Amino acid sequence: MINISFEDARAYARWLSETTGKKYRLPTEAEWEYVARADTNTLFWWGDDAKDAAGRANCRRGCNSKFSGLFGAKTAPVGSYPANGFGIYDTAGNVAEWVEDCFADNYNLHPKNGQALLVKSCDARVVRGGSAKDNAERLTSHHRDYHHAEIFDAHLGFRVVMDL
């Protein structure tokens, strides 16, 4: 789903929880990165070289994407590119994804237990994964950005996790 604000993404997770009786939520930054890395220690789930993004992700430069190029970028249907080692699609490129955390310049301020960084005055929320409008170098598993929670954009989306 694209063109959705952080608050709308959270509302969807609440609705899904109420509808199914299971607990759904946005992932924390730590959870998102773990899944995006797919048990690797490399910059991307496929290795360390951005040049290898071709055929693995949707981005403006470096992915050789049929959906995005130098003068335009659009999202690709889910599953247009291979899944990572965990079988998860689109963790690099396509759309940047909202996560639960408040943004802090220094990632070392985040809880060490994988929980979300939450503060009283949270002016900006974290997005992860890069998008179709980014170049391949911005699709690394550790790349992070932020937006205000009310923002919605064709290059912002989300995924949910289900608590077991």
Side-chain angles (χ1 to χ4, degrees):
M1 184 177 293
I2 59 173
N3 285 315
I4 190 159
S5 71
F6 172 81
E7 294 301 336
D8 288 340
R10 283 174 103 194
Y12 175 80
R14 280 192 303 275
W15 172 85
L16 189 59
S17 296
E18 292 166 5
T19 302
T20 64
K22 297 177 179 4
K23 173 93 168 98
Y24 288 92
R25 59 181 172 77
L26 296 179
T28 68
E29 239 188 303
E31 290 169 330
W32 190 98
E33 187 168 329
Y34 175 77
V35 168
R37 286 186 181 280
D39 211 22
T40 68
N41 290 317
T42 54
L43 294 175
F44 307 91
W45 61 261
W46 59 79
D48 283 321
D49 198 341
K51 293 177 184 163
D52 293 334
R56 291 190 173 100
N58 182 27
C59 70
R60 183 171 284 171
R61 284 181 229 103
C63 290
N64 195 26
S65 172
K66 66 182 180 182
F67 299 97
S68 298
L70 186 58
F71 299 107
K74 63 181 183 175
T75 58
V78 172
S80 295
Y81 298 92
N84 70 13
F86 284 166
I88 308 295
Y89 291 92
D90 303 320
T91 59
N94 212 27
V95 297
E97 300 174 9
W98 293 110
V99 296
E100 188 64 33
D101 298 64
C102 294
F103 181 78
D105 286 333
N106 187 339
Y107 192 62
N108 292 328
L109 297 175
H110 282 62
K112 304 299 182 229
N113 62 3
Q115 297 296 312
L117 174 67
L118 302 173
V119 296
K120 282 187 179 187
S121 178
C122 186
D123 294 329
R125 294 290 179 160
V126 176
V127 294
R128 299 292 298 260
S131 74
K133 68 181 180 179
D134 291 318
N135 60 30
E137 288 78 17
R138 288 181 55 111
L139 306 185
T140 61
S141 301
H142 67 275
H143 178 75
R144 51 199 298 268
D145 206 346
Y146 64 91
H147 291 285
H148 292 280
E150 306 82 28
I151 297 293
F152 58 93
D153 184 279
H155 296 286
L156 284 175
F158 71 102
R159 70 179 69 228
V160 295
V161 295
M162 182 182 75
D163 287 340
L164 299 176

